[in-house]
Amino acid sequence: MIPLWYYLLLSAFLFACGVAGFLIKRNIITIFMSIELMLNAVNLSFIAFATQWDSLNGQVFVFFVMVVAAAEAAVGLAIIISVFRTRETLNVDRVNLLKL
């Protein structure tokens, strides 16, 4: 059996990559993918703890996080498409106003 800290280390690495992508990148799609990476890193931690303690609570919580992430992806991609159609760019530095 793989020790718990391996999963936590991988989760921390994935979360750090997500944070770095969120802070460094200027493209909306890349920022969106970084947020999804952070959510999945947290899910990995929940699953690891749930497996370690033989509890279903972590898996149920991951299910809810995945549902929220799916809804967030649908709304987020719709917003990204709308921004691209109106501004013709996905650079967050150029999309700084809510008005056209």
Side-chain angles (χ1 to χ4, degrees), residues 76-96:
L77 287 175
I79 290 171
I80 289 171
I81 289 171
S82 175
V83 165
F84 183 74
R85 285 184 179 169
T86 57
R87 307 291 171 114
E88 297 181 354
T89 183
L90 292 178
N91 190 342
V92 292
D93 292 333
R94 294 183 182 174
V95 183
N96 55 4

Side-chain angles (χ1 to χ4, degrees), residues 10-94:
L10 177 63
S11 175
F13 176 73
L14 291 175
F15 192 85
C17 288
V19 169
F22 183 80
L23 294 176
I24 293 172
K25 296 295 183 175
R26 308 303 332 153
N27 189 325
I28 296 174
I29 298 265
T30 308
I31 292 172
F32 191 71
M33 289 172 50
S34 298
I35 293 170
E36 293 293 327
L37 185 62
M38 288 188 282
L39 282 174
N40 286 324
V42 172
N43 284 344
L44 180 63
S45 294
F46 281 132
I47 292 294
F49 282 120
T51 303
Q52 179 72 25
W53 293 327
D54 290 330
S55 173
L56 290 178
N57 292 338
Q59 295 175 5
V60 170
F61 197 72
V62 166
F63 178 73
F64 285 120
V65 169
M66 289 173 64
V67 168
V68 170
E72 176 246 342
V75 173
L77 287 175
I79 290 171
I80 289 171
I81 289 171
S82 175
V83 165
F84 183 74
R85 285 184 179 169
T86 57
R87 307 291 171 114
E88 297 181 354
T89 183
L90 292 178
N91 190 342
V92 292
D93 292 333
R94 294 183 182 174

